[in-house]
């Protein structure tokens, strides 16, 4: 039996991500224990280390809330494949699901515009960006996204247009962040989580993240991360 933390961490990480990818939910306590050699205590220790390393997000009850791009509860997006229904963590994450889950090359993403309440449904696949006039607004810059990641994800939303973004900002009192069209959002999501369902996944270093963002068409101070992302 292995007793090194890194081995259990990777087994538990994979159990979490593969449960979300395959069934749209976090693994059960027995499933987590199985991934940690039969010990739920070891699994919980691994979950906390994974949260500290920004691989996932836990709530106060030690439940997995986010394992990007998947969420355990509604954060404004449902993502429906042919076999599985997910909660998307945000606009970015929702667009990433068909790129990450090999068995689901096309999904139907449903959400509402925070500015006017208009419902939106978009078919997103891995072949080409969806058509539409909608835009995504990112409130929190990359360097601060993990300061309060639930707040960050809750404010990466799809709007009807930039006028709806401005209306929401005026009503909420928030400062404007960064607005992208659907093509740029799709490019951002396309390869961001590549390899996350495989053993040995590593988060991007800042320079790698900046290069990836630039390839998607995102440059400038807003997209300069402070650490691994």
């Amino acid at each position: 039996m292995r007793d090194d933390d890194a081995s259990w961490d990777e087994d538990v990480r994979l159990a979490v991500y593969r449960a979300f990818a395959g069934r749209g939910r976090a693994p059960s306590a027995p499933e987590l224990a199985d991934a940690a050699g039969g010990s739920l205590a070891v699994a919980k220790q691994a979950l906390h280390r994974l949260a500290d390393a920004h691989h996932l997000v836990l709530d106060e009850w030690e439940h997995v809330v986010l394992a990007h791009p998947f969420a355990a509860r509604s954060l404004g997006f449902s993502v429906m494949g042919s076999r599985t229904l997910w909660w998307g963590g945000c606009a970015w994450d929702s667009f990433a699901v068909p790129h990450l889950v090999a068995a689901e090359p096309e999904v139907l993403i449903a959400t509402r515009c925070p500015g006017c309440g208009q419902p939106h449904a978009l078919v997103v696949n891995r072949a080409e960006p969806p058509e539409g006039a909608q835009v995504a607004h990112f409130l929190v810059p990359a360097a601060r996204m993990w300061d309060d990641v639930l707040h960050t994800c809750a404010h990466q939303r799809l709007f009807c247009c930039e006028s709806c973004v401005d209306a929401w900002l005026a009503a909420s009192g928030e400062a404007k962040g960064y607005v992208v069209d659907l093509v740029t959002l799709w490019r951002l999501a396309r390869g961001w989580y590549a390899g996350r369902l495989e053993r040995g996944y590593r988060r991007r270093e800042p320079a790698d993240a900046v290069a990836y963002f630039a390839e998607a068409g995102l440059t400038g101070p807003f997209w300069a991360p402070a650490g691994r992302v």
Side-chain angles (χ1 to χ4, degrees):
M1 178 182 292
R2 299 162 304 173
D3 58 3
D4 56 300
D5 291 345
S7 294
W8 295 131
D9 290 0
E10 184 64 353
D11 287 348
V12 171
R13 186 190 72 81
L14 286 171
V16 170
Y17 273 90
R18 290 175 179 174
F20 271 113
R23 303 193 297 276
R25 63 167 178 80
S28 65
E31 288 171 333
L32 285 171
D34 285 346
S39 172
L40 183 58
V42 170
K44 287 185 176 182
Q45 291 168 4
L47 287 176
H48 281 280
R49 288 190 295 269
L50 291 165
D52 289 342
H54 294 176
H55 283 289
L56 46 82
V57 179
L58 303 178
D59 64 15
E60 59 269 35
W61 300 285
E62 300 181 309
H63 298 148
V64 178
V65 179
L66 280 169
H68 296 290
F70 311 112
R73 64 185 189 223
S74 175
L75 291 173
F77 294 87
S78 63
V79 183
M80 186 174 68
S82 61
R83 303 172 182 83
T84 308
L85 177 65
W86 297 273
W87 297 120
C90 57
W92 181 354
D93 284 350
S94 299
F95 269 52
V97 171
H99 298 285
L100 181 63
V101 182
E104 297 282 9
E106 182 174 279
V107 298
L108 176 65
I109 296 172
T111 187
R112 285 183 180 273
C113 172
C116 70
Q118 175 72 27
H120 293 282
L122 294 169
V123 175
V124 178
N125 62 51
R126 64 177 72 130
E128 59 186 358
E131 296 182 356
Q134 296 92 338
V135 298
H137 177 253
F138 292 74
L139 181 67
V140 181
R144 292 173 38 220
M145 284 181 178
W146 278 92
D147 291 356
D148 181 347
V149 70
L150 285 173
H151 171 80
T152 296
C153 289
H155 293 88
Q156 292 180 359
R157 300 292 301 274
L158 284 178
F159 291 77
C160 301
C161 58
E162 198 154 354
S163 294
C164 275
V165 175
D166 292 338
W168 178 80
L169 291 170
S172 65
E174 298 282 3
K176 196 166 192 174
Y178 201 100
V179 177
V180 304
D181 59 18
L182 295 183
V183 173
T184 304
L185 179 63
W186 183 88
R187 288 174 179 160
L188 171 64
R190 167 171 59 180
W192 182 251
Y193 296 118
R196 187 155 283 195
L197 298 180
E198 306 303 323
R199 186 170 297 278
Y201 174 82
R202 294 290 181 270
R203 299 178 66 82
R204 284 181 177 82
E205 297 293 343
D208 298 324
V210 168
Y212 181 92
F213 294 150
E215 186 177 350
L218 301 168
T219 58
F222 191 94
W223 295 99
R228 284 186 177 184
V229 289

